């Protein structure tokens, strides 16, 4: 008899299906994790590949949106005050939408929540958050939100803002973890970009310093060097205006010798008080002085108006230490541009200090050359005195003695006139010897040297070098008191040309015949403006009247202005 068949042992079909589904889910999760880790690595590599800061910031935003599958992404850069956003980089919003929405957010509402509390923030619905106060018109609808801070060297740099996860999903803890990891990599990339940008900037400053040093040591004039300082400082710092002011002889005021950029002509030739202006304070303190808005700063003289459309500014001394400051460079940017950062000011100060050293070295070189010239002048003066004058004097004595034996009246008269001419020639040579032996910059400098020096100092402000002509014994015949008046009139005349004439040429003529001193200054500018200020001309006229002389102003047919100033010389 056959045995009955025993039933087989089987696992419940339902339990097997559950296990298979769980296994598949875990495989899918592992695959998803692998894919997201791979996406994270790709994102980290993408943000670390760029070196330009703007490109780095944009790549961070793009990588963040891709990493967490967000419809919109933004990176807000925190301003130096740590309260608002100074820049905003977006992905997912078109240029047309940005224009319709209006200005970028400043960091209020939920965006400001990360500024006040720099910790990751996830919100299911933005409108339900206590800090939210709505969106501006034309703003696309946004609900889900994820934000993480970006730190650079432990300091808050900005925040990543992600909204509207695709598929109507919510951002989860894994999204937050991935985004936080990306933020760490972003901080490193931003720091590298900053260092790269700083190194490039320092290289540009060093090249500018090398150019200035080469220019000065090759014998170029101070005006050319100051012009190069202003132009390079303006270009490298991204400024709209650069001006260089140097101290005047009284050291109580500054005069703007060089200006380039916006409204540069309004700055050239200005005389600024030492303790009441931005540039004067920078010179006196031997330290940078900054302004957030030059149009509203009380340390900026309102007249003449010359800062239209400009905002942030900084004045930096050329040189270091109160005894080493040689001048001041002022930079200004357009309204709305960022203020000069501490790092920018530091680089500019280093550039100005190096420029001052180059100027010092060039002056020492010029001093050595000047000493050689003066020694050569002494030799020439000694030879003229010991040889030429003695021979001329002997020739005059011989002619004078010979004249007694000439019976013809006309011939005798000619000999006497020749003797007089020799005496006059001796006087001229003695005046020349005095001029050769005079040392510039001392209290005994002759009028001839003072005139040449004044014209040379005015050349940078004028933009050209006036021609100079002098006749007669200006050093010996014109006494010191009258010479001081001559220099005051000349300085006023040159200043008027620089400020008002818009001239391309000018001529200075100083003559004396032993009885009268005459100074004329002419230019090819626009002439005397009707209704203009007359205080300078009035001062010249009063000086002439005080000395018993006269003063005339005329406009020649060829154009321009002619100033003529005469005074009598005292009779010995």
């Amino acid at each position: 008899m056959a045995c009955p068949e025993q039933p087989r042992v089987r696992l419940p079909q339902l339990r097997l299906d559950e296990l298979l589904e769980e296994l598949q889910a875990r495989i899918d999760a592992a695959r998803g994790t692998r894919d997201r880790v791979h996406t994270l690595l790709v994102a980290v590599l993408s943000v670390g590949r760029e070196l330009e800061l703007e490109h780095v910031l944009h790549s961070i935003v793009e990588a963040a949106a891709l990493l967490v599958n967000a419809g919109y992404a933004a990176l807000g850069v925190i301003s130096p005050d740590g309260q608002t956003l100074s820049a905003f980089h977006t992905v997912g919003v078109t240029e047309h939408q940005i224009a319709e929405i209006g200005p970028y957010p400043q960091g209020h509402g939920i965006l400001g929540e990360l500024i006040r509390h720099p910790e990751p923030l996830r919100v299911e619905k933005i409108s339900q958050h206590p800090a939210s106060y709505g969106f501006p018109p034309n703003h696309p609808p946004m609900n889900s939100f994820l934000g993480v801070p970006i730190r650079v060297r432990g300091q808050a740099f900005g925040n990543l803002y992600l909204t509207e996860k695709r598929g109507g999903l919510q951002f989860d803890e894994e999204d937050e973890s991935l985004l936080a990891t990306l933020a760490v990599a972003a901080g490193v990339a931003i720091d590298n970009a900053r260092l790269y940008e700083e190194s490039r900037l320092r290289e540009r400053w060093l090249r500018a310093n090398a150019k200035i040093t080469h220019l000065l040591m090759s014998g170029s004039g101070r005006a050319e060097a100051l012009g190069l300082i202003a132009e390079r400082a303006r270009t490298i710092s991204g400024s709209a205006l650069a001006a260089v002011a140097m101290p005047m002889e009284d050291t109580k005021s500054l005069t703007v010798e060089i200006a380039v950029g916006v409204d540069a002509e309004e700055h050239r030739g200005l005389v600024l008080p030492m303790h009441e202006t931005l540039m004067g304070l920078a010179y006196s303190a031997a330290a940078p002085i900054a302004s957030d808005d030059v149009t509203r700063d009380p340390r900026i003289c309102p007249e003449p108006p010359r800062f239209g459309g400009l905002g942030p500014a900084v004045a930096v001394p050329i040189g270091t230490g109160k005894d080493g400051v040689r001048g001041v460079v002022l930079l200004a940017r357009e309204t709305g541009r960022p203020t000069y950062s501490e790092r920018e000011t530091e680089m500019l100060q280093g550039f100005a200090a190096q420029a001052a050293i180059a100027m010092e070295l060039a002056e020492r070189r010029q001093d050595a050359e000047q000493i050689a010239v003066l020694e050569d002048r002494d030799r020439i003066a000694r030879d003229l005195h010991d040889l030429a004058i003695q021979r001329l004097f002997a020739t005059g004595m011989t002619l004078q003695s010979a004249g007694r034996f000439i019976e013809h009246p006309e011939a005798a008269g000619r000999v006497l006139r020749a003797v007089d001419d020799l005496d006059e020639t001796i006087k001229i040579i003695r005046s020349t010897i005095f001029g050769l032996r005079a040392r510039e910059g001392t209290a005994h400098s002759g009028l001839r040297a003072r005139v040449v020096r004044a014209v040379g100092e005015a050349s940078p402000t004028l933009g050209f070098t006036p021609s100079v002509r002098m006749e007669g014994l200006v050093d010996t015949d014109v006494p010191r008191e009258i010479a001081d008046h001559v220099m005051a009139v000349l300085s006023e005349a040159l200043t008027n040309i620089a400020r008002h004439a818009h001239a391309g040429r000018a001529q200075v003529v100083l003559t004396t015949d032993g009885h009268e001193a005459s100074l004329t200054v002419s230019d090819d500018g626009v002439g005397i403006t009707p209704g203009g200020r007359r205080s300078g001309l009035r001062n010249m006229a009063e000086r002439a009247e005080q000395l018993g002389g006269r003063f005339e102003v005329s406009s020649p047919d060829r154009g321009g202005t002619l100033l003529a100033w005469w005074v009598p010389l005292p009779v010995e």
Side-chain angles (χ1 to χ4, degrees):
M1 183 174 180
C3 294
E5 185 177 353
Q6 296 293 327
R8 294 181 180 179
V9 179
R10 297 180 179 179
L11 291 174
Q13 186 67 35
L14 181 61
R15 178 60 178 163
L16 180 60
D17 291 341
E18 288 177 354
L19 290 175
L20 289 174
E21 289 177 1
E22 183 179 350
L23 178 60
Q24 185 63 44
R26 291 189 179 187
I27 292 173
D28 292 341
R31 185 181 294 113
T33 301
R34 181 201 64 186
D35 292 342
R36 299 203 74 178
V37 170
H38 180 265
T39 304
L40 175 62
L41 292 175
V42 172
V44 170
L45 288 174
S46 68
V47 300
R49 189 179 298 118
E50 299 287 348
L51 286 176
E52 296 287 347
L53 183 58
E54 290 298 313
H55 295 165
V56 168
L57 298 180
H58 190 71
S59 68
I60 290 172
V61 181
E62 289 183 330
L66 181 64
L67 185 62
V68 297
N69 202 22
Y72 305 99
L75 192 158
V77 180
I78 300 175
S79 60
D81 61 9
Q83 304 296 319
T84 59
L85 298 176
S86 61
F88 212 71
H89 302 265
T90 63
V91 165
V93 185
T94 65
E95 293 294 332
H96 178 70
Q97 287 177 307
I98 293 174
E100 287 187 337
I101 294 171
Y104 282 118
Q106 297 297 307
H108 305 296
I110 195 171
L111 299 186
E113 191 70 15
L114 266 75
I115 299 177
R116 294 183 291 271
H117 307 288
E119 298 293 336
L121 176 64
R122 271 187 297 129
V123 177
E124 291 185 5
K125 196 172 183 61
I126 295 176
S127 60
Q128 295 177 355
H129 193 276
S132 176
Y133 61 86
F135 295 104
N138 303 315
H139 196 286
M142 294 181 181
N143 293 296
S144 57
F145 175 87
L146 173 60
V148 295
I150 297 176
R151 292 181 176 87
V152 177
R153 295 179 181 266
Q155 302 248 341
F157 173 83
N159 299 307
L160 274 172
Y161 306 110
L162 288 302
T163 62
E164 288 300 287
K165 183 163 183 174
R166 299 184 190 279
L169 302 175
Q170 293 292 328
F171 296 109
D172 55 23
E173 290 184 6
E174 187 176 353
D175 292 326
E176 182 180 319
S177 178
L178 289 171
L179 201 61
T181 304
L182 178 64
V184 174
V188 175
I190 291 170
D191 191 35
N192 288 338
R194 279 178 163 180
L195 292 173
Y196 174 71
E197 188 177 80
E198 182 179 326
S199 66
R200 289 186 62 189
L201 193 58
R202 288 190 183 279
E203 181 183 1
R204 295 185 68 188
W205 285 120
L206 289 173
R207 286 181 179 177
N209 270 319
K211 179 67 176 178
I212 292 168
T213 302
H214 175 74
L215 190 70
L216 287 167
M217 298 307 291
S218 63
S220 299
R222 187 181 73 167
E224 189 175 355
L226 293 180
L228 185 60
I229 290 173
E231 185 57 49
R232 291 299 171 88
R234 183 180 73 92
T235 304
I236 296 175
S237 65
S239 302
L241 169 72
V244 178
M246 305 298 285
M248 300 184 72
E249 290 185 2
D250 59 4
T251 67
K252 295 180 181 179
S253 55
L254 298 169
T255 178
V256 180
E257 295 191 8
I258 300 294
V260 292
V262 177
D263 292 333
E265 293 184 359
E266 301 299 327
H267 292 265
R268 296 189 191 110
L270 284 178
V271 177
L272 305 173
M274 191 67 75
H275 300 290
E276 301 175 4
T277 60
L278 207 65
M279 299 182 83
L281 291 172
Y283 182 90
S284 301
I289 303 293
S291 173
D292 292 339
D293 188 354
V294 287
T295 59
R296 294 185 176 90
D297 198 315
R299 297 168 296 181
I300 298 293
C301 299
E303 295 294 336
R306 57 194 187 282
F307 287 104
L310 300 181
V314 63
V316 175
I318 300 176
T320 56
K322 290 190 176 181
D323 296 332
V325 178
R326 294 177 166 272
V328 180
V329 56
L330 171 75
L331 298 176
R333 287 173 175 158
E334 297 93 340
T335 302
R337 290 287 308 283
T339 58
Y340 293 89
S341 66
E342 183 178 346
R343 184 62 58 84
E344 287 179 309
T345 303
E346 177 188 343
M347 289 187 180
L348 177 60
Q349 193 173 10
F351 167 72
Q354 290 295 324
I357 293 174
M359 294 170 68
E360 178 76 18
L361 292 174
E363 287 182 5
R364 293 292 176 265
R365 176 175 174 273
Q366 291 174 357
D367 288 344
E369 295 176 350
Q370 185 69 13
I371 289 173
V373 171
L374 292 176
E375 290 177 349
D376 199 37
R377 285 184 177 182
D378 286 340
R379 180 187 60 78
I380 295 172
R382 187 170 55 252
D383 291 345
L384 285 174
H385 182 272
D386 295 343
L387 301 176
I389 289 183
Q390 297 301 329
R391 296 194 67 175
L392 288 172
F393 185 77
T395 302
M397 293 292 291
T398 301
L399 289 174
Q400 192 173 15
S401 299
R404 301 193 189 104
F405 301 101
I406 299 176
E407 297 181 355
H408 195 285
E410 185 176 350
R414 289 185 178 182
V415 170
L416 291 177
R417 284 195 296 273
V419 172
D420 292 340
D421 289 342
L422 287 174
D423 289 338
E424 189 66 25
T425 301
I426 291 173
K427 290 181 181 180
I428 293 174
I429 293 176
R430 282 177 175 166
S431 175
T432 303
I433 293 172
F434 182 80
L436 287 171
R437 288 179 171 172
R439 298 295 189 265
E440 292 187 6
T442 65
H444 303 289
S445 293
L447 180 57
R448 185 185 303 270
R450 294 174 67 187
V451 169
V452 172
R453 186 165 63 251
V455 171
E457 291 175 350
S459 297
T461 305
L462 292 168
F464 59 88
T465 302
S467 63
V468 180
R469 181 167 57 88
M470 287 180 273
E471 297 178 1
L473 307 178
V474 296
D475 286 337
T476 55
D477 286 349
V478 181
R480 182 75 185 189
E481 180 183 356
I482 294 179
D484 291 341
H485 284 283
V486 170
M487 293 308 302
V489 172
L490 175 60
S491 178
E492 184 71 38
L494 293 175
T495 300
N496 286 344
I497 294 174
R499 296 294 302 278
H500 308 296
H502 303 287
R505 293 192 305 274
Q507 183 180 39
V508 176
V509 179
L510 175 63
T511 63
T512 179
D513 57 2
H515 304 287
E516 184 180 65
S518 170
L519 174 68
T520 60
V521 182
S522 59
D523 64 73
D524 64 347
V526 297
I528 303 296
T529 305
R533 296 178 60 185
R534 295 291 190 271
S535 57
L537 300 179
R538 185 165 56 252
N539 290 338
M540 298 182 200
E542 289 175 355
R543 288 181 182 276
E545 293 174 3
Q546 179 183 344
L547 299 173
R550 61 194 188 279
F551 173 68
E552 294 179 1
V553 183
S554 61
S555 297
D557 295 337
R558 64 180 182 279
T561 304
L562 175 65
L563 306 180
W565 191 85
W566 301 272
V567 292
L569 299 177
V571 179
E572 296 182 358

